[in-house]
Amino acid sequence: MSQKRQKLFSSFLVNGSLLILCLIWTIPTIGMLVSSFRPRDRVLSTGWWNVNWSELTLKNYQQVLTGKEIKDPNMPGGVAKGDNMSRAFLNSLTVTIPSTVIPILIAAFAAYGFAWMKFPGRKVFFIMVVAMLVVPLQIALIPILRDYTKINLNGTFLAIWLAHTGFGLPLATYLLFNYISSLPRDILESAFIDGASHFTIFTNLILPLSIPALASFAIFQFMWVWNDLLVALVFIGSRPEVAVLTQRLMDMTGSRGQDWHLLMSGAFVTMMVPLMIFFFLQRYFVRGLLAGSVKG
Amino acid sequence: METTEKSFQSSGLYGIVAWIGRVAVSLIVPIFTFLVMWRGFIFLRDGNAPKLVMALVAIIWGVGGVAALYVVSNWLVERLGLRWRLLLQPFVFVGPGLAILLWYLFLPSLRTLYYSFFNRTSTKFVGFDNFIFALTDKAMLESFRNNLLWLIVGTSLSVVFGLLIAILADRSKFEKIAKSIIFLPQAISFVGAGVIWRFIYYYKPPGEEQIGLLNAVVTALGGQPVAWLTERPWNTFFLIAIMVWLQTGFALVVLSAALKGVPEELLEAARIDGANEIQIFFKIIIPYIQGTIITVSTTILIATLKIFDIVFVMTNGLYGTEVMASQQYKQMFKYQDFGRGSAVAVILLITVIPVMIYNLRQFREREAF
Amino acid sequence: MSKNHKLWQIITSLAVISLLVAACAQATPAPVTEAPAVEEAPAATEAPAEEAPAEAPAGGMVEVGGVEYSTEYAGTTVTIFGVAADEQARLFQKEFDEFTEKTGIKVEYEGNKDFETLILVRVEGNNAPDIATFAQPGLVADFMRKGNLIDVSTFLTKDFLTSKYSQSLIDLSMVDGKVAGVWHNADVKSLVWYPKKAFEAKGYTIPETWNELIALSDQIVADGGTPWCIGIESAGATGWPGTDWVEDVMLRTTTPENYDKWTKGELKFNSPEVKNAFDTVAAIWFKQGYVYGGVPSILTTGFGDAPKPLFEDPPKCWLHRQASFITNFFPEGAKVGEDVAYFYLPPIDPAYGKPVLGSGSIATMFNDRPEVREVMKFLATGYSMKEEAMAGVAVAPHLDADPSWYPTDAARGFAEIIQNATTFRFDGSDLMPGAVGAGSFWTGIVDWVGAEGTNTEDVLKTIDASWPTE
């Protein structure tokens, strides 16, 4: 095989296998996308691959976005409109953004402290942080709720920011420590010789260098908080003023889950924000940012 | 730096004062943060500006408040003079994180450990009864077996697929779109994922039109439809497939970032020496990103141990698909048995100790400690 | 790097500014903030926010739906937490409109489908709502014994309660001699649904006895049809439709007293009575040709999807035993009474009369304040169910509920079934402790179906073993 043909062949092989894997990964999602445009009865009677193009409707999306149609004999036409999503959307953003940024900030400081500062108890404390990774957050709900009740914090956004910070912190510290501790020592040593303090080194050197790690953790924390139902239900409740998107979605499926078909269009609507964040942060995963300076 | 520290510790009084100072620093930042944020929040809550403005102010408030407090406390500590600065500054960095962990996870864990020795209403000491139950109950034994499958099959498949796709994508022009596609399931909530997979595994009696994809394929090939989720022991693997579908995106993103860190010169040099791609992969790339692979595997391993949503939504642990985390959740919240629920949580914690020890060893080898 | 430095500076200065702004602003309005009732009036809630309750004269009495309430507590708020979401939550909230307008007591309902978990977390977290509406009396008993609930008989007289509920319902709300709450709504479970037009066209008649029911099933098989549609899948609650079957048969084959003992754990699962009930169910479920799709279909069909084959032409199955709320899952446009109708699941042994299995929700009280008492009193009247009854989503268990509220004969029929019942018993799995009623009983049913009823004794023994010991 000539050099050129070999290159062509390997590119074909690479792109071909990538295509197959991507196809397998998207099939379930495509199924959901198609189903989200179909009426409920059709979804249950035929497979989505047998979709009849004329049956496609925007009604599911319309209900999700503008408010669900609720039977109400007292209203003209026997139908009332439920709340729309805008408030829940705003609530979700208000919950998610600080719940993503605060733990990253705190974890980055802690990771730097563990990686580059010497102090007694360092190992013990670090082991504690790593061990907390495995604690299921369910066991913490009741004690924390008790504390919150004592200081009258229940139902506020602050309550849930702090809760998500607490629950996300072990993973954030663990991942960021891994990254920050593997940054080359000579960078820091030369900075020290120049008379920089820990704080300056951290803010001016370590944070910018850690952007890929910060960005990847940010994505996951964002999605975890965005899609969380349990923590939000426990600490801020489901009153309409504070309910987040996932709660609105669950409400829409009805008391006995009879309207679950709205879940599919709803899932697509709620998915949009994390995807946008992903596309936005993806540009930080670029080759060369750390080339030659990082040891694995 | 070390010598100064040692001379401090030699004098006992200094040690005590320093210790108090550390605790104080660790606590002051979070408590002060908390108070300031809370005050601000009461102000925000009772204000009646438009929703959007309120949300925006709240976000800036919360995030800015935390950042500002680090700045302020560091500024304070740096005023103190070299000796005290060296002693206290590390706690400006790690203190707040530790204090929050203590409050949100460590103390509740201790409480759980304590309750695991009490009866269902936490009113009577029962010794090791709950643990005996947890280690002998039929459903629990089933959970141990299944958890092992989840850990081995689920974790390795997620990591292998993540690595494979990361490497393929790295060489492809369609990198961004491919990564986005694999990542996509991560953005779907568990409830949404549950509905999606329902329509993969859906079973209808023979002769009916199948609306589940797998059964449609099976019947099109002339087979009989299969009730996938009740078919022991294969159903556990079908549930694991959902986990792999969800988690591979995580492995991909992190591993792909690590791949970008492998210096091009190193690869070029190997190619010039005549190594083929497979050799390069195993001899250069894998050792180079070994640290990241361990991190990703550990994270997924732990996530797998904690996952109960998939099992809960798809089968509720029936047909032999029970796992420990879903048992813990059920015992605690459905059956209101705090003793047993706590005991299962403690066992979960113990299970991960070997993984943790391995991780710490790795850190030491890399001289991170 | 200098770019990042700037960014950092901007963040810091923003934070400092916001700190200052809040610190200054907070100084002035702080005293006003503490009054609890002045919480933001959300623009999203329509009707109740417009009321001006302060005008009601202090200390007076007003009448709502035939019962007097005090206006002394105008301006207070009572929180209610329950499982009903969406449509039913809206109707529930609406039922308080007149009450709030006249008494000035504001009622805030919060509904969530994860109610069972959340109520436990909130009560344990010292953050209980004033009132909670439970669908599981078993849970209510747990909370009552732990001392979380207020005995409503401390402020509602016996005469008042007996004027609102039948004695059997009051008995059902008793825990250790205390009245744990007041019934809010009810569903009938002992119903068999059938495709009316096709059923009549075939000349089938409604069975009055169990033997006739079996004869009808055989007739359908002889005519080339499949008599039953059964589906017990329900995600996190899979198995419950099966427990309903067993309970319905229990009521028809043994005394109500035995049923009560059974739900309390005094009659073992592995007893002749329970075993007989399982066997009677097995005679339908596992009989070749009786169930549409056979055993795999019983296990994997969602309870909401199970009645779908009734509506095909010709029907793919002819009979479906399920509670009144299944109408929510019928195909759009299907009319109860025309396309589909129901009959009462016939008795087996005439000695036990016409027993009815039902479910419902009971309102319980966690915080004892005068205004909460007023709301509980209101909930004990049929008037507090008017909207739900008029929408046909639930049946009012109250004696003073007006039958003319129900929109259809079908809905009125449910109310009649409850009233005509010689024995009314609550869904047994909801009465049992969570570990059995929402645990081993469900999983037991699944294991039992999986083995096609060949392991009845093992299953019953396993369930017995899981009964929690104190």
Side-chain angles (χ1 to χ4, degrees):
Chain A
M1 252 194 281
S2 75
Q3 189 82 9
K4 210 173 177 186
R5 274 188 55 195
Q6 197 184 347
K7 226 175 187 172
L8 205 70
F9 176 72
S10 78
S11 135
F12 176 75
L13 203 69
V14 163
N15 287 319
S17 24
L18 202 59
L19 183 73
I20 292 171
L21 281 166
C22 286
L23 266 181
I24 295 174
W25 244 258
T26 29
I27 284 172
T29 322
I30 292 172
M32 181 169 87
L33 184 65
V34 173
S35 301
S36 72
F37 287 104
R38 304 177 77 199
R40 181 179 110 181
D41 293 345
R42 292 288 296 162
V43 172
L44 278 174
S45 54
T46 60
W48 54 265
W49 52 92
N50 285 332
V51 63
N52 177 351
W53 297 106
S54 62
E55 76 188 30
L56 295 186
T57 164
L58 283 172
K59 209 168 166 223
N60 297 344
Y61 282 92
Q62 196 193 342
Q63 294 215 29
V64 165
L65 291 172
T66 64
K68 188 182 163 188
E69 287 175 2
I70 296 172
K71 265 185 269 164
D72 187 341
N74 299 329
M75 298 293 276
V79 168
K81 276 271 177 194
D83 289 340
N84 67 25
M85 287 281 217
S86 65
R87 180 149 203 169
F89 192 81
L90 214 59
N91 286 336
S92 268
L93 278 180
T94 317
V95 165
T96 313
I97 294 172
S99 300
T100 307
V101 181
I102 295 173
I104 289 183
L105 197 65
I106 294 178
F109 270 102
Y112 178 87
F114 282 123
W116 298 109
M117 293 167 125
K118 288 230 151 56
F119 57 93
R122 193 172 72 121
K123 274 187 199 175
V124 177
F125 285 135
F126 187 72
I127 291 174
M128 190 186 102
V129 172
V130 178
M132 289 304 107
L133 264 176
V134 73
V135 175
L137 66 91
Q138 288 86 2
I139 66 163
L141 297 178
I142 290 169
I144 300 298
L145 192 62
R146 278 189 191 162
D147 296 343
Y148 278 180
T149 311
K150 252 177 241 156
I151 52 178
N152 199 14
L153 198 64
N154 272 327
T156 66
F157 286 120
L158 180 59
I160 194 164
W161 293 346
L162 288 172
H164 277 303
T165 302
F167 300 144
L169 209 51
L171 183 63
T173 315
Y174 173 74
L175 288 181
L176 293 180
F177 172 84
N178 256 318
Y179 192 89
I180 290 175
S181 69
S182 63
L183 291 173
R185 257 159 213 271
D186 31 320
I187 300 186
L188 273 110
E189 269 148 26
S190 55
F192 267 123
I193 292 165
D194 292 347
S197 74
H198 272 301
F199 201 77
T200 353
I201 293 178
F202 176 71
T203 52
N204 293 0
L205 209 61
I206 302 297
L207 276 190
L209 275 179
S210 311
I211 282 177
L214 296 176
S216 45
F217 181 74
I219 290 176
F220 294 107
Q221 176 76 2
F222 187 94
M223 280 185 316
W224 154 246
V225 177
W226 186 262
N227 285 330
D228 159 78
L229 183 66
L230 185 65
V231 178
L233 278 178
V234 170
F235 294 120
I236 56 175
S238 43
R239 286 173 299 127
E241 306 95 83
V242 289
V244 293
L245 272 180
T246 41
Q247 295 175 12
R248 286 284 310 127
L249 261 186
M250 285 305 277
D251 277 357
M252 277 191 184
T253 61
S255 296
R256 291 197 168 83
Q258 67 271 34
D259 293 326
W260 54 268
H261 60 291
L262 296 178
L263 260 182
M264 296 200 265
S265 37
F268 261 97
V269 173
T270 52
M271 212 166 83
M272 286 305 137
V273 175
L275 279 185
M276 271 159 55
I277 301 276
F278 178 74
F279 289 129
F280 171 73
L281 289 178
Q282 204 182 22
R283 65 201 174 103
Y284 290 106
F285 312 130
V286 284
R287 185 188 294 277
L289 189 70
L290 294 158
S293 66
V294 185
K295 248 175 47 192
Chain B
M1 207 159 28
E2 267 188 358
T3 44
T4 24
E5 220 173 89
K6 265 179 197 142
S7 67
F8 270 128
Q9 274 162 356
S10 55
S11 96
L13 185 69
Y14 251 133
I16 294 168
V17 176
W19 195 80
I20 295 171
R22 284 176 192 133
V23 172
V25 169
S26 303
L27 289 177
I28 281 172
V29 178
I31 289 177
F32 196 65
T33 314
F34 175 77
L35 283 178
V36 172
M37 280 169 80
W38 188 21
R39 273 292 163 204
F41 218 86
I42 286 173
F43 160 70
L44 285 175
R45 190 179 60 186
D46 301 329
N48 39 17
K51 280 187 291 180
L52 191 67
V53 177
M54 294 277 287
L56 214 66
V57 175
I59 290 168
I60 294 173
W61 175 261
V63 174
V66 174
L69 276 149
Y70 273 105
V71 176
V72 171
S73 56
N74 184 68
W75 180 82
L76 279 176
V77 168
E78 285 194 355
R79 300 285 99 176
L80 286 177
L82 187 67
R83 283 180 149 191
W84 286 102
R85 194 174 89 201
L86 284 178
L87 270 176
L88 299 182
Q89 203 176 28
F91 285 85
V92 172
F93 277 70
V94 298
L98 286 178
I100 289 180
L101 273 181
L102 192 79
W103 181 19
Y104 281 88
L105 292 170
F106 192 69
L107 293 180
S109 309
L110 287 185
R111 179 179 171 272
T112 305
L113 182 66
Y114 175 79
Y115 282 161
S116 65
F117 294 104
F118 282 80
N119 68 349
R120 61 194 305 265
T121 48
S122 316
T123 46
K124 211 175 88 196
F125 182 77
V126 294
F128 283 93
D129 278 9
N130 294 319
F131 288 93
I132 293 171
F133 163 82
L135 295 172
T136 54
D137 181 62
K138 208 176 106 199
M140 279 302 296
L141 293 177
E142 197 179 278
S143 313
F144 291 137
R145 191 201 61 205
N146 289 337
N147 262 120
L148 206 65
L149 283 179
W150 278 83
L151 289 181
I152 296 169
V153 180
T155 311
S156 52
L157 282 185
S158 302
V159 175
V160 167
F161 273 121
L163 192 59
L164 182 69
I165 296 166
I167 285 170
L168 288 175
D170 200 35
R171 280 134 209 261
S172 167
K173 272 178 288 183
F174 310 105
E175 174 173 7
K176 278 200 171 165
I177 180 140
K179 274 161 76 176
S180 307
I181 285 174
I182 307 293
F183 173 84
L184 195 98
Q186 285 261 316
I188 300 173
S189 58
F190 272 117
V191 231
V195 177
I196 294 181
W197 284 84
R198 225 180 122 89
F199 286 99
I200 301 282
Y201 295 139
Y202 209 98
Y203 169 85
K204 279 204 170 189
E208 283 275 294
E209 183 180 346
Q210 295 296 332
I211 62 168
L213 185 65
L214 278 182
N215 275 329
V217 172
V218 169
T219 46
L221 296 174
Q224 285 285 314
V226 181
W228 304 96
L229 293 177
T230 61
E231 211 53 54
R232 300 170 208 236
W234 305 109
N235 48 9
T236 295
F237 292 96
F238 296 129
L239 295 181
I240 292 174
I242 305 178
M243 213 267 310
V244 173
W245 181 71
L246 285 167
Q247 291 282 350
T248 299
F250 170 77
L252 169 66
V253 167
V254 181
L255 289 172
S256 166
L259 275 185
K260 307 286 177 202
V262 181
E264 196 63 42
E265 310 91 67
L266 212 64
L267 301 176
E268 279 308 314
R271 279 189 194 115
I272 288 165
D273 289 348
N276 66 29
E277 290 299 313
I278 292 172
Q279 283 170 325
I280 290 178
F281 177 72
F282 283 105
K283 295 265 164 66
I284 298 177
I285 296 181
I286 293 273
Y288 202 92
I289 60 168
Q290 192 196 12
T292 314
I293 294 179
I294 294 170
T295 314
V296 170
S297 309
T298 308
T299 314
I300 294 184
L301 198 91
I302 289 169
T304 308
L305 260 186
K306 287 208 270 184
I307 265 181
F308 73 98
D309 313 55
I310 294 176
V311 174
F312 209 66
V313 170
M314 299 302 289
T315 62
N316 189 27
L318 295 167
Y319 329 113
T321 57
E322 197 67 273
V323 292
M324 282 198 273
S326 78
Q327 269 287 312
Q328 190 256 333
Y329 184 82
K330 277 189 202 167
Q331 289 289 355
M332 201 168 251
F333 295 117
K334 299 270 173 219
Y335 308 162
Q336 300 202 27
D337 194 326
F338 281 80
R340 285 178 182 178
S342 300
V344 179
V346 171
I347 292 175
L348 259 176
L349 258 169
I350 295 171
T351 326
V352 190
I353 288 178
V355 183
M356 291 299 143
I357 292 173
Y358 177 73
N359 259 276
L360 292 169
R361 248 198 220 139
Q362 284 296 319
F363 286 144
R364 203 172 305 149
E365 265 169 35
R366 281 162 38 200
E367 288 161 28
F369 262 156
Chain C
M1 214 151 283
S2 67
K3 207 177 103 201
N4 279 300
H5 187 68
K6 259 200 192 117
L7 186 77
W8 186 250
Q9 278 178 337
I10 292 169
I11 293 175
T12 317
S13 37
L14 263 179
V16 172
I17 290 168
S18 59
L19 268 171
L20 289 174
V21 168
C24 304
Q26 185 244 315
T28 29
V32 203
T33 59
E34 302 308 318
V38 216
E39 296 259 27
E40 48 181 312
T45 19
E46 293 105 272
E50 286 156 27
E51 257 70 80
E55 285 162 33
M61 295 299 272
V62 288
E63 179 255 303
V64 185
V67 177
E68 298 249 295
Y69 300 93
S70 168
T71 55
E72 219 179 306
Y73 315 109
T76 54
T77 302
V78 172
T79 57
I80 304 182
F81 187 39
V83 74
D86 204 40
E87 180 186 358
Q88 218 165 336
R90 191 188 158 86
L91 294 167
F92 187 55
Q93 181 73 60
K94 222 166 157 185
E95 282 159 353
F96 293 101
D97 281 1
E98 192 185 334
F99 176 82
T100 302
E101 195 180 338
K102 289 190 175 158
T103 62
I105 299 171
K106 205 174 147 198
V107 176
E108 270 180 5
Y109 176 73
E110 181 184 351
N112 200 286
K113 286 200 289 183
D114 285 312
F115 170 81
E116 289 160 62
T117 307
L118 287 175
I119 189 67
L120 176 70
V121 173
R122 286 194 187 173
V123 171
E124 290 287 329
N126 302 329
N127 186 36
D130 294 326
I131 294 171
T133 55
F134 286 87
Q136 299 87 357
L139 268 180
V140 173
D142 280 349
F143 283 116
M144 190 84 206
R145 293 200 181 103
K146 277 198 266 177
N148 300 119
L149 288 177
I150 314 287
D151 179 359
V152 295
S153 67
T154 52
F155 59 93
L156 294 179
T157 62
K158 202 165 181 274
D159 289 346
F160 179 79
L161 284 174
T162 46
S163 72
K164 300 296 173 197
Y165 298 103
S166 65
Q167 190 57 43
S168 69
L169 275 174
I170 295 176
D171 290 345
L172 276 176
S173 63
M174 303 275 277
V175 178
D176 303 338
K178 295 173 191 151
V179 182
V182 293
W183 292 99
H184 177 61
N185 61 27
D187 281 308
V188 186
K189 292 207 159 190
S190 309
L191 303 175
V192 180
W193 299 85
Y194 63 96
K196 195 162 184 251
K197 281 178 199 150
F199 197 85
E200 281 163 1
K202 282 269 186 187
Y204 298 147
T205 51
I206 291 168
E208 297 286 337
T209 66
W210 194 266
N211 287 339
E212 284 177 33
L213 183 70
I214 301 295
L216 172 66
S217 304
D218 290 333
Q219 179 64 41
I220 293 171
V221 174
D223 292 349
T226 309
W228 293 92
C229 269
I230 302 167
I232 62 169
E233 197 273 344
S234 175
T238 297
W240 69 259
T243 66
D244 282 7
W245 270 83
V246 174
E247 290 154 9
D248 244 336
V249 171
M250 270 296 279
L251 282 176
R252 283 162 179 73
T253 50
T254 186
T255 61
E257 288 72 31
N258 272 342
Y259 183 87
D260 295 341
K261 277 192 196 161
W262 177 52
T263 60
K264 284 181 191 137
E266 291 160 17
L267 181 75
K268 294 266 172 241
F269 270 79
N270 194 17
S271 63
E273 289 86 355
V274 184
K275 200 161 176 296
N276 176 38
F278 270 81
D279 290 342
T280 312
V281 174
I284 290 178
W285 283 28
F286 307 132
K287 184 155 175 175
Q288 200 68 37
Y290 256 33
V291 179
Y292 179 64
V295 170
S297 181
I298 297 181
L299 281 178
T300 55
T301 307
F303 78 96
D305 304 340
K308 297 259 148 58
L310 289 177
F311 297 91
E312 301 207 27
D313 188 29
K316 292 200 167 150
C317 68
W318 296 79
L319 303 165
H320 179 65
R321 198 222 71 106
Q322 189 51 280
S324 48
F325 56 69
I326 195 67
T327 51
N328 283 320
F329 294 86
F330 287 165
E332 254 165 81
K335 285 210 174 67
V336 177
E338 284 177 36
D339 303 306
V340 65
Y342 62 85
F343 57 81
Y344 165 76
L345 183 71
I348 295 176
D349 187 335
Y352 306 118
K354 283 189 145 193
V356 170
L357 185 73
S359 64
S361 71
I362 181 167
T364 61
M365 183 171 164
F366 282 96
N367 299 318
D368 196 0
R369 295 198 310 272
E371 63 269 22
V372 185
R373 292 180 172 199
E374 293 294 300
V375 176
M376 286 297 281
K377 188 160 102 186
F378 178 65
L379 283 169
T381 64
Y383 202 69
S384 70
M385 257 300 289
K386 195 177 169 193
E387 297 288 338
E388 283 166 83
M390 279 170 60
V393 297
V395 176
H398 310 80
L399 296 174
D400 61 348
D402 185 343
S404 69
W405 287 342
Y406 299 105
T408 57
D409 289 338
R412 226 182 325 277
F414 300 144
E416 272 164 28
I417 288 179
I418 291 184
Q419 274 157 21
N420 295 344
T422 48
T423 312
F424 182 84
R425 281 297 180 275
F426 209 86
D427 185 337
S429 58
D430 290 337
L431 294 167
M432 294 169 189
V436 180
S440 57
F441 196 2
W442 289 351
T443 51
I445 288 281
V446 170
D447 287 341
W448 182 67
V449 176
E452 303 201 18
T454 52
N455 57 349
T456 314
E457 232 176 273
D458 287 346
V459 166
L460 297 179
K461 276 181 189 158
T462 313
I463 301 177
D464 278 331
S466 71
W467 200 284
T469 46
E470 281 314 315

